Amino acid sequence: MNASLTKESPAPAAATGTERLPVDAVRTGEPFTVLYGPGVGDVFVDATGEVRTMEHALWHLLRAAGFERIVFSTLHDPVYFRDDASWRRSRRPARRTPDTNGRAGRTGMSHAGLRGPLGGTRLLGAGPAPAPERTGAPDAGAARASGIADPFGVMTLHAYLRGTGRRTAVVFPHADEFLLHSQASRQLAQALAACASDGVEGNQWVLVFNRTSLHEVAAFLTGLGRCPGLETFVTERRDEPARGGTHRIGLPGERELERLVHAVRLGSGLRVAWRDLDRVVRAMAGQPETARVWRSRLRQLHAQKAELNRDTVRPWLGAAAAEERTPWERLAAMPGTEALVRRFAGLRAEMDTEAALRARGRPSEGEPPSRHLVFTGNPGTGKTTVARLLGEMYRDAGVLTRGHCVEVEPGDLVAGFVGQTPQRTAAVIDRALDGVLFIDEAYGLSDQRDGFGDEAIRTLLKRMEDDRGRLVVVVAGYPDKMEEFLDANPGLRSRFPVTNVVPFPDHDPGTLHTVLMNRLTQRGVTAGAEVAEELRQIVENLHRTRDATFGNVREMRTLADAVRSRWSARVGPEVDEPVTGEDIPETYRGHLPRPAPDPAALLAGLDAYVGLAPARAALTALAWRLRMRQERGAGNFDPPHLLFTGPPGTGKTTVARLLGEVFHSLGLLRGGHVVEVTRADLVGEYLGHTAPKVVGACERAMDGVLFVDEAYSLVADAGGSGGSFGREAVEALLREMENRRGRLVVVAAGYPADLERLLDSNAGLRSRFTLKVPFPAFSPEDLGEILRRTATANGYVLAPGTEERARLLLEETRRARPATFGNARDVRRLLEAMEGLKGARWAEGDKGPELLPEDVPDELETGASG
């Protein structure tokens, strides 16, 4: 490097620009300063209230940083100056040469260090000599241009930067356009590379890119492929931002916007409601708008002869400017957020403590605690609303400067092609800087199998570290899914510690009913006590039968809007009419409690079956209990889990299939279907396989009945590995029975002694199965009646003596093999055997429907017949 340059005194601090263009942005010691961001091309309001263009602000910034010569370059003007001092310092005395008449004349001002075609060329245009040198502000509307071609312009700029007499900055205000369309791309690449490798210390290229993020700048340079030195510089800074040499120009903050308001007020006479100014400016700073846009809007207010207050800015800011309550007060006013208020009160106390320590000159040492949060809960529990309030809380506490909230989903971060995801994720993060980035259903990033989601996670983790203090990330989703998300990358757990996981439980029915009634009131609807009670009952049943997709507050808004729509269609302009029950849509009226039907009619379906008197008695008692509670105003109860005890073939499966319909008719189950499973459907074959099978079976049976036949087989072989999987199935089933209480009925069936052993295998089983229904072995008379009914159903008639002979055979079979006797199943197998013997007589010409005693075999073969 060459020797340092002589310097003049920098401009006063008030002239350095704004908070968005700090002097440190160019005091890096690097050969390049790359500027980018959403504020590129904006106007800037300095501490004196002067509104400056981008070039004007950059000139002040560079002069304050100690640059003595500031040169600008665009496609239109390859070399130009915005101040006389820089212009004069770029000239040397011209040679006097004879003109065509033999007289001495001035042909131009040469440039130090230039030879060849530029040595005697006048670069700065003819005209009167400039005014005496000034070190103050330039004329914002004028520039001294050269009019030379691109190649000579690049050579000139390079010569300036190679000079050691004056500390020089060369500014490309539109670097994208210049690099893309310059006719001197080769010379420019060489000049940039030379400065990067062997530039004069203190001199600098300043390149302004109209790109939102440094990732976009790097991608542009890579695609351009013409400036490898600059491309390497930017790529390295993208990966290691702490190295310096780049600066993001953001959107205006509160202080600059307040200065803008006063600039417009003093410049054009805008009237301002002083009582509203702080609130309005704070709301303005939370919007993703440039100062140029706000200046236009303020001028529009003045043109309309309107005053700047919280009402006149509502079209641009919504209710934000009109909100008088603090974010803490708004959080406390949200229904069902008492636990959240207590949680965030601790956060507020921590931030207040930090502020007090700083005020006393005792700030905490080391890295600040992580502010990133995990919100876990079902939809409609307030996660998004609280994330928006969180940004305001952090802003008011001084943790964030803007406090806006950028809300995205995984699809907003992930691209469809390799290499695009980091750019897209970085662009989203850039929008959220100085505020909150809220990623809903964040587990969608880790669920992706093509690897792009993992790219987004890695980019997010890096920026959370690089932009510490400027970014708060809130990830949200279902509790179980968020646990999987946090396990997807080791870095996530460190960025989101367990103490920063905030649960958002489902709202209770009382809170939801309050939300519903408030929504109706807000929409101009009144509801009497009777319809309010009906709505309360609907809400309670919606809550009782909810699943993971239940929308909580969102569901209440949907219900309220549906009621209002029907009410509006009914009353028309007669808006004083209150809501009535007929305004509740039928889809919701189905959630109203219905009177328990007469048990005799309800259970009439069991009359077609033999030997089910004990089951009928148990279900009749259940129906009468429900009916009694309803008449006493006690309401419904959760349907019980049942044990069906008895040997095979006694009707357990048949009653289970009817049970779903019975419980649905009683209003105890929303559905009524029955899912039949055995051990093979619940017990896995390897570690980690069992619980998902149990959960899947329970999900299929949701709002209905899960019938587990031969339930004891789950733990029958407890001595082997299969037994451990069986015990895992029982534990998983218990969890599902608890988690799906009121939504799932489990019926365990088997021999009485076997079911007792099952209950003994886990202490939680006895408390879950609260109703035992006996299915005793059929008597001989019952077996005979079953045979007669089954034969009749198949078009046969039992001849005299046939039923008696069949009963004797069935009893002998029971005594011979009591453990495997199938009751009704063996009756069906007997009928099949009798059909076989009758078939022989049919072939001999006996075409009658009678089944004769001789059609009963001497012995009933073992085996299953279905």
Side-chain angles (χ1 to χ4, degrees), residues 332-352:
M334 290 175 59
T337 58
E338 294 79 7
L340 287 174
V341 170
R342 291 192 296 270
R343 179 71 178 258
F344 283 105
L347 177 65
R348 184 180 189 179
E350 180 184 338
M351 292 188 293
D352 289 345

mmCIF file with all atom_site columns, all heavy atoms in Angstrom, residues 332-352:
data_model
loop_
_atom_site.group_PDB
_atom_site.id
_atom_site.type_symbol
_atom_site.label_atom_id
_atom_site.label_alt_id
_atom_site.label_comp_id
_atom_site.label_asym_id
_atom_site.label_entity_id
_atom_site.label_seq_id
_atom_site.pdbx_PDB_ins_code
_atom_site.Cartn_x
_atom_site.Cartn_y
_atom_site.Cartn_z
_atom_site.occupancy
_atom_site.B_iso_or_equiv
_atom_site.pdbx_formal_charge
_atom_site.auth_seq_id
_atom_site.auth_comp_id
_atom_site.auth_asym_id
_atom_site.auth_atom_id
_atom_site.pdbx_PDB_model_num
ATOM 1   N N   . ALA A 1 332 ? -53.031 -8.299  27.719 1.00 0.00 ? 332 ALA A N   1
ATOM 2   C CA  . ALA A 1 332 ? -53.836 -8.618  28.899 1.00 0.00 ? 332 ALA A CA  1
ATOM 3   C C   . ALA A 1 332 ? -55.328 -8.625  28.585 1.00 0.00 ? 332 ALA A C   1
ATOM 4   O O   . ALA A 1 332 ? -56.101 -9.335  29.239 1.00 0.00 ? 332 ALA A O   1
ATOM 5   C CB  . ALA A 1 332 ? -53.543 -7.621  30.012 1.00 0.00 ? 332 ALA A CB  1
ATOM 6   N N   . ALA A 1 333 ? -55.733 -7.854  27.566 1.00 0.00 ? 333 ALA A N   1
ATOM 7   C CA  . ALA A 1 333 ? -57.156 -7.783  27.216 1.00 0.00 ? 333 ALA A CA  1
ATOM 8   C C   . ALA A 1 333 ? -57.603 -8.941  26.349 1.00 0.00 ? 333 ALA A C   1
ATOM 9   O O   . ALA A 1 333 ? -58.810 -9.142  26.159 1.00 0.00 ? 333 ALA A O   1
ATOM 10  C CB  . ALA A 1 333 ? -57.447 -6.462  26.501 1.00 0.00 ? 333 ALA A CB  1
ATOM 11  N N   . MET A 1 334 ? -56.679 -9.709  25.802 1.00 0.00 ? 334 MET A N   1
ATOM 12  C CA  . MET A 1 334 ? -57.051 -10.852 24.963 1.00 0.00 ? 334 MET A CA  1
ATOM 13  C C   . MET A 1 334 ? -57.671 -11.942 25.833 1.00 0.00 ? 334 MET A C   1
ATOM 14  O O   . MET A 1 334 ? -57.127 -12.270 26.904 1.00 0.00 ? 334 MET A O   1
ATOM 15  C CB  . MET A 1 334 ? -55.835 -11.405 24.226 1.00 0.00 ? 334 MET A CB  1
ATOM 16  C CG  . MET A 1 334 ? -55.286 -10.512 23.146 1.00 0.00 ? 334 MET A CG  1
ATOM 17  S SD  . MET A 1 334 ? -53.739 -11.170 22.419 1.00 0.00 ? 334 MET A SD  1
ATOM 18  C CE  . MET A 1 334 ? -54.309 -12.773 21.807 1.00 0.00 ? 334 MET A CE  1
ATOM 19  N N   . PRO A 1 335 ? -58.790 -12.532 25.423 1.00 0.00 ? 335 PRO A N   1
ATOM 20  C CA  . PRO A 1 335 ? -59.417 -13.583 26.226 1.00 0.00 ? 335 PRO A CA  1
ATOM 21  C C   . PRO A 1 335 ? -58.514 -14.806 26.366 1.00 0.00 ? 335 PRO A C   1
ATOM 22  O O   . PRO A 1 335 ? -57.850 -15.221 25.408 1.00 0.00 ? 335 PRO A O   1
ATOM 23  C CB  . PRO A 1 335 ? -60.691 -13.940 25.423 1.00 0.00 ? 335 PRO A CB  1
ATOM 24  C CG  . PRO A 1 335 ? -60.920 -12.782 24.510 1.00 0.00 ? 335 PRO A CG  1
ATOM 25  C CD  . PRO A 1 335 ? -59.579 -12.219 24.212 1.00 0.00 ? 335 PRO A CD  1
ATOM 26  N N   . GLY A 1 336 ? -58.463 -15.337 27.553 1.00 0.00 ? 336 GLY A N   1
ATOM 27  C CA  . GLY A 1 336 ? -57.753 -16.588 27.781 1.00 0.00 ? 336 GLY A CA  1
ATOM 28  C C   . GLY A 1 336 ? -56.247 -16.494 27.746 1.00 0.00 ? 336 GLY A C   1
ATOM 29  O O   . GLY A 1 336 ? -55.576 -17.496 27.503 1.00 0.00 ? 336 GLY A O   1
ATOM 30  N N   . THR A 1 337 ? -55.688 -15.309 27.982 1.00 0.00 ? 337 THR A N   1
ATOM 31  C CA  . THR A 1 337 ? -54.225 -15.159 27.908 1.00 0.00 ? 337 THR A CA  1
ATOM 32  C C   . THR A 1 337 ? -53.597 -14.896 29.270 1.00 0.00 ? 337 THR A C   1
ATOM 33  O O   . THR A 1 337 ? -52.496 -14.358 29.353 1.00 0.00 ? 337 THR A O   1
ATOM 34  C CB  . THR A 1 337 ? -53.860 -14.012 26.947 1.00 0.00 ? 337 THR A CB  1
ATOM 35  O OG1 . THR A 1 337 ? -54.491 -12.798 27.408 1.00 0.00 ? 337 THR A OG1 1
ATOM 36  C CG2 . THR A 1 337 ? -54.298 -14.311 25.536 1.00 0.00 ? 337 THR A CG2 1
ATOM 37  N N   . GLU A 1 338 ? -54.266 -15.289 30.344 1.00 0.00 ? 338 GLU A N   1
ATOM 38  C CA  . GLU A 1 338 ? -53.725 -15.007 31.673 1.00 0.00 ? 338 GLU A CA  1
ATOM 39  C C   . GLU A 1 338 ? -52.339 -15.621 31.857 1.00 0.00 ? 338 GLU A C   1
ATOM 40  O O   . GLU A 1 338 ? -51.418 -14.976 32.374 1.00 0.00 ? 338 GLU A O   1
ATOM 41  C CB  . GLU A 1 338 ? -54.677 -15.540 32.760 1.00 0.00 ? 338 GLU A CB  1
ATOM 42  C CG  . GLU A 1 338 ? -56.028 -14.826 32.828 1.00 0.00 ? 338 GLU A CG  1
ATOM 43  C CD  . GLU A 1 338 ? -56.991 -15.295 31.759 1.00 0.00 ? 338 GLU A CD  1
ATOM 44  O OE1 . GLU A 1 338 ? -56.663 -16.262 31.041 1.00 0.00 ? 338 GLU A OE1 1
ATOM 45  O OE2 . GLU A 1 338 ? -58.084 -14.688 31.642 1.00 0.00 ? 338 GLU A OE2 1
ATOM 46  N N   . ALA A 1 339 ? -52.185 -16.881 31.418 1.00 0.00 ? 339 ALA A N   1
ATOM 47  C CA  . ALA A 1 339 ? -50.882 -17.533 31.565 1.00 0.00 ? 339 ALA A CA  1
ATOM 48  C C   . ALA A 1 339 ? -49.827 -16.838 30.707 1.00 0.00 ? 339 ALA A C   1
ATOM 49  O O   . ALA A 1 339 ? -48.671 -16.694 31.118 1.00 0.00 ? 339 ALA A O   1
ATOM 50  C CB  . ALA A 1 339 ? -50.993 -19.009 31.186 1.00 0.00 ? 339 ALA A CB  1
ATOM 51  N N   . LEU A 1 340 ? -50.218 -16.387 29.510 1.00 0.00 ? 340 LEU A N   1
ATOM 52  C CA  . LEU A 1 340 ? -49.275 -15.689 28.647 1.00 0.00 ? 340 LEU A CA  1
ATOM 53  C C   . LEU A 1 340 ? -48.852 -14.359 29.256 1.00 0.00 ? 340 LEU A C   1
ATOM 54  O O   . LEU A 1 340 ? -47.683 -13.968 29.183 1.00 0.00 ? 340 LEU A O   1
ATOM 55  C CB  . LEU A 1 340 ? -49.897 -15.437 27.275 1.00 0.00 ? 340 LEU A CB  1
ATOM 56  C CG  . LEU A 1 340 ? -50.049 -16.649 26.360 1.00 0.00 ? 340 LEU A CG  1
ATOM 57  C CD1 . LEU A 1 340 ? -50.804 -16.252 25.108 1.00 0.00 ? 340 LEU A CD1 1
ATOM 58  C CD2 . LEU A 1 340 ? -48.694 -17.214 25.995 1.00 0.00 ? 340 LEU A CD2 1
ATOM 59  N N   . VAL A 1 341 ? -49.798 -13.664 29.868 1.00 0.00 ? 341 VAL A N   1
ATOM 60  C CA  . VAL A 1 341 ? -49.468 -12.390 30.507 1.00 0.00 ? 341 VAL A CA  1
ATOM 61  C C   . VAL A 1 341 ? -48.432 -12.606 31.595 1.00 0.00 ? 341 VAL A C   1
ATOM 62  O O   . VAL A 1 341 ? -47.452 -11.847 31.718 1.00 0.00 ? 341 VAL A O   1
ATOM 63  C CB  . VAL A 1 341 ? -50.741 -11.732 31.076 1.00 0.00 ? 341 VAL A CB  1
ATOM 64  C CG1 . VAL A 1 341 ? -50.379 -10.537 31.959 1.00 0.00 ? 341 VAL A CG1 1
ATOM 65  C CG2 . VAL A 1 341 ? -51.667 -11.289 29.948 1.00 0.00 ? 341 VAL A CG2 1
ATOM 66  N N   . ARG A 1 342 ? -48.619 -13.668 32.397 1.00 0.00 ? 342 ARG A N   1
ATOM 67  C CA  . ARG A 1 342 ? -47.632 -13.953 33.445 1.00 0.00 ? 342 ARG A CA  1
ATOM 68  C C   . ARG A 1 342 ? -46.284 -14.302 32.829 1.00 0.00 ? 342 ARG A C   1
ATOM 69  O O   . ARG A 1 342 ? -45.235 -13.896 33.343 1.00 0.00 ? 342 ARG A O   1
ATOM 70  C CB  . ARG A 1 342 ? -48.129 -15.098 34.329 1.00 0.00 ? 342 ARG A CB  1
ATOM 71  C CG  . ARG A 1 342 ? -49.320 -14.743 35.197 1.00 0.00 ? 342 ARG A CG  1
ATOM 72  C CD  . ARG A 1 342 ? -49.557 -15.806 36.247 1.00 0.00 ? 342 ARG A CD  1
ATOM 73  N NE  . ARG A 1 342 ? -49.910 -17.087 35.652 1.00 0.00 ? 342 ARG A NE  1
ATOM 74  C CZ  . ARG A 1 342 ? -51.161 -17.469 35.374 1.00 0.00 ? 342 ARG A CZ  1
ATOM 75  N NH1 . ARG A 1 342 ? -52.170 -16.650 35.631 1.00 0.00 ? 342 ARG A NH1 1
ATOM 76  N NH2 . ARG A 1 342 ? -51.405 -18.661 34.848 1.00 0.00 ? 342 ARG A NH2 1
ATOM 77  N N   . ARG A 1 343 ? -46.296 -15.047 31.728 1.00 0.00 ? 343 ARG A N   1
ATOM 78  C CA  . ARG A 1 343 ? -45.050 -15.443 31.077 1.00 0.00 ? 343 ARG A CA  1
ATOM 79  C C   . ARG A 1 343 ? -44.310 -14.217 30.557 1.00 0.00 ? 343 ARG A C   1
ATOM 80  O O   . ARG A 1 343 ? -43.100 -14.059 30.770 1.00 0.00 ? 343 ARG A O   1
ATOM 81  C CB  . ARG A 1 343 ? -45.371 -16.412 29.930 1.00 0.00 ? 343 ARG A CB  1
ATOM 82  C CG  . ARG A 1 343 ? -44.167 -16.892 29.147 1.00 0.00 ? 343 ARG A CG  1
ATOM 83  C CD  . ARG A 1 343 ? -43.334 -17.851 29.988 1.00 0.00 ? 343 ARG A CD  1
ATOM 84  N NE  . ARG A 1 343 ? -42.195 -18.363 29.253 1.00 0.00 ? 343 ARG A NE  1
ATOM 85  C CZ  . ARG A 1 343 ? -42.158 -19.585 28.722 1.00 0.00 ? 343 ARG A CZ  1
ATOM 86  N NH1 . ARG A 1 343 ? -43.184 -20.402 28.869 1.00 0.00 ? 343 ARG A NH1 1
ATOM 87  N NH2 . ARG A 1 343 ? -41.094 -19.990 28.093 1.00 0.00 ? 343 ARG A NH2 1
ATOM 88  N N   . PHE A 1 344 ? -45.005 -13.333 29.886 1.00 0.00 ? 344 PHE A N   1
ATOM 89  C CA  . PHE A 1 344 ? -44.350 -12.176 29.309 1.00 0.00 ? 344 PHE A CA  1
ATOM 90  C C   . PHE A 1 344 ? -44.052 -11.096 30.341 1.00 0.00 ? 344 PHE A C   1
ATOM 91  O O   . PHE A 1 344 ? -43.230 -10.212 30.101 1.00 0.00 ? 344 PHE A O   1
ATOM 92  C CB  . PHE A 1 344 ? -45.184 -11.615 28.160 1.00 0.00 ? 344 PHE A CB  1
ATOM 93  C CG  . PHE A 1 344 ? -45.070 -12.424 26.901 1.00 0.00 ? 344 PHE A CG  1
ATOM 94  C CD1 . PHE A 1 344 ? -46.097 -13.247 26.492 1.00 0.00 ? 344 PHE A CD1 1
ATOM 95  C CD2 . PHE A 1 344 ? -43.924 -12.380 26.144 1.00 0.00 ? 344 PHE A CD2 1
ATOM 96  C CE1 . PHE A 1 344 ? -45.992 -14.006 25.350 1.00 0.00 ? 344 PHE A CE1 1
ATOM 97  C CE2 . PHE A 1 344 ? -43.800 -13.132 24.992 1.00 0.00 ? 344 PHE A CE2 1
ATOM 98  C CZ  . PHE A 1 344 ? -44.844 -13.946 24.591 1.00 0.00 ? 344 PHE A CZ  1
ATOM 99  N N   . ALA A 1 345 ? -44.724 -11.154 31.501 1.00 0.00 ? 345 ALA A N   1
ATOM 100 C CA  . ALA A 1 345 ? -44.374 -10.222 32.577 1.00 0.00 ? 345 ALA A CA  1
ATOM 101 C C   . ALA A 1 345 ? -42.941 -10.467 33.029 1.00 0.00 ? 345 ALA A C   1
ATOM 102 O O   . ALA A 1 345 ? -42.200 -9.521  33.339 1.00 0.00 ? 345 ALA A O   1
ATOM 103 C CB  . ALA A 1 345 ? -45.341 -10.378 33.743 1.00 0.00 ? 345 ALA A CB  1
ATOM 104 N N   . GLY A 1 346 ? -42.538 -11.728 33.072 1.00 0.00 ? 346 GLY A N   1
ATOM 105 C CA  . GLY A 1 346 ? -41.158 -12.037 33.412 1.00 0.00 ? 346 GLY A CA  1
ATOM 106 C C   . GLY A 1 346 ? -40.195 -11.506 32.375 1.00 0.00 ? 346 GLY A C   1
ATOM 107 O O   . GLY A 1 346 ? -39.116 -10.991 32.700 1.00 0.00 ? 346 GLY A O   1
ATOM 108 N N   . LEU A 1 347 ? -40.559 -11.617 31.103 1.00 0.00 ? 347 LEU A N   1
ATOM 109 C CA  . LEU A 1 347 ? -39.732 -11.082 30.021 1.00 0.00 ? 347 LEU A CA  1
ATOM 110 C C   . LEU A 1 347 ? -39.602 -9.566  30.147 1.00 0.00 ? 347 LEU A C   1
ATOM 111 O O   . LEU A 1 347 ? -38.518 -9.005  29.985 1.00 0.00 ? 347 LEU A O   1
ATOM 112 C CB  . LEU A 1 347 ? -40.346 -11.462 28.678 1.00 0.00 ? 347 LEU A CB  1
ATOM 113 C CG  . LEU A 1 347 ? -39.664 -10.943 27.420 1.00 0.00 ? 347 LEU A CG  1
ATOM 114 C CD1 . LEU A 1 347 ? -38.273 -11.547 27.286 1.00 0.00 ? 347 LEU A CD1 1
ATOM 115 C CD2 . LEU A 1 347 ? -40.502 -11.273 26.188 1.00 0.00 ? 347 LEU A CD2 1
ATOM 116 N N   . ARG A 1 348 ? -40.713 -8.921  30.466 1.00 0.00 ? 348 ARG A N   1
ATOM 117 C CA  . ARG A 1 348 ? -40.680 -7.468  30.611 1.00 0.00 ? 348 ARG A CA  1
ATOM 118 C C   . ARG A 1 348 ? -39.797 -7.058  31.782 1.00 0.00 ? 348 ARG A C   1
ATOM 119 O O   . ARG A 1 348 ? -39.013 -6.097  31.681 1.00 0.00 ? 348 ARG A O   1
ATOM 120 C CB  . ARG A 1 348 ? -42.107 -6.955  30.815 1.00 0.00 ? 348 ARG A CB  1
ATOM 121 C CG  . ARG A 1 348 ? -42.209 -5.439  30.888 1.00 0.00 ? 348 ARG A CG  1
ATOM 122 C CD  . ARG A 1 348 ? -43.644 -5.019  31.091 1.00 0.00 ? 348 ARG A CD  1
ATOM 123 N NE  . ARG A 1 348 ? -43.793 -3.582  30.960 1.00 0.00 ? 348 ARG A NE  1
ATOM 124 C CZ  . ARG A 1 348 ? -44.965 -2.943  31.079 1.00 0.00 ? 348 ARG A CZ  1
ATOM 125 N NH1 . ARG A 1 348 ? -46.057 -3.646  31.316 1.00 0.00 ? 348 ARG A NH1 1
ATOM 126 N NH2 . ARG A 1 348 ? -45.026 -1.635  30.954 1.00 0.00 ? 348 ARG A NH2 1
ATOM 127 N N   . ALA A 1 349 ? -39.911 -7.779  32.876 1.00 0.00 ? 349 ALA A N   1
ATOM 128 C CA  . ALA A 1 349 ? -39.086 -7.457  34.042 1.00 0.00 ? 349 ALA A CA  1
ATOM 129 C C   . ALA A 1 349 ? -37.604 -7.597  33.715 1.00 0.00 ? 349 ALA A C   1
ATOM 130 O O   . ALA A 1 349 ? -36.775 -6.775  34.141 1.00 0.00 ? 349 ALA A O   1
ATOM 131 C CB  . ALA A 1 349 ? -39.465 -8.376  35.205 1.00 0.00 ? 349 ALA A CB  1
ATOM 132 N N   . GLU A 1 350 ? -37.264 -8.624  32.948 1.00 0.00 ? 350 GLU A N   1
ATOM 133 C CA  . GLU A 1 350 ? -35.863 -8.828  32.569 1.00 0.00 ? 350 GLU A CA  1
ATOM 134 C C   . GLU A 1 350 ? -35.356 -7.668  31.727 1.00 0.00 ? 350 GLU A C   1
ATOM 135 O O   . GLU A 1 350 ? -34.241 -7.178  31.930 1.00 0.00 ? 350 GLU A O   1
ATOM 136 C CB  . GLU A 1 350 ? -35.740 -10.143 31.800 1.00 0.00 ? 350 GLU A CB  1
ATOM 137 C CG  . GLU A 1 350 ? -34.332 -10.475 31.361 1.00 0.00 ? 350 GLU A CG  1
ATOM 138 C CD  . GLU A 1 350 ? -34.280 -11.735 30.517 1.00 0.00 ? 350 GLU A CD  1
ATOM 139 O OE1 . GLU A 1 350 ? -35.213 -12.555 30.613 1.00 0.00 ? 350 GLU A OE1 1
ATOM 140 O OE2 . GLU A 1 350 ? -33.313 -11.892 29.764 1.00 0.00 ? 350 GLU A OE2 1
ATOM 141 N N   . MET A 1 351 ? -36.165 -7.223  30.770 1.00 0.00 ? 351 MET A N   1
ATOM 142 C CA  . MET A 1 351 ? -35.740 -6.121  29.914 1.00 0.00 ? 351 MET A CA  1
ATOM 143 C C   . MET A 1 351 ? -35.654 -4.817  30.704 1.00 0.00 ? 351 MET A C   1
ATOM 144 O O   . MET A 1 351 ? -34.755 -4.000  30.482 1.00 0.00 ? 351 MET A O   1
ATOM 145 C CB  . MET A 1 351 ? -36.697 -5.987  28.726 1.00 0.00 ? 351 MET A CB  1
ATOM 146 C CG  . MET A 1 351 ? -36.614 -7.165  27.754 1.00 0.00 ? 351 MET A CG  1
ATOM 147 S SD  . MET A 1 351 ? -37.559 -6.936  26.229 1.00 0.00 ? 351 MET A SD  1
ATOM 148 C CE  . MET A 1 351 ? -39.246 -6.929  26.857 1.00 0.00 ? 351 MET A CE  1
ATOM 149 N N   . ASP A 1 352 ? -36.581 -4.595  31.638 1.00 0.00 ? 352 ASP A N   1
ATOM 150 C CA  . ASP A 1 352 ? -36.528 -3.397  32.482 1.00 0.00 ? 352 ASP A CA  1
ATOM 151 C C   . ASP A 1 352 ? -35.269 -3.399  33.339 1.00 0.00 ? 352 ASP A C   1
ATOM 152 O O   . ASP A 1 352 ? -34.635 -2.351  33.551 1.00 0.00 ? 352 ASP A O   1
ATOM 153 C CB  . ASP A 1 352 ? -37.765 -3.332  33.377 1.00 0.00 ? 352 ASP A CB  1
ATOM 154 C CG  . ASP A 1 352 ? -39.032 -3.004  32.591 1.00 0.00 ? 352 ASP A CG  1
ATOM 155 O OD1 . ASP A 1 352 ? -38.912 -2.549  31.438 1.00 0.00 ? 352 ASP A OD1 1
ATOM 156 O OD2 . ASP A 1 352 ? -40.139 -3.203  33.139 1.00 0.00 ? 352 ASP A OD2 1
#
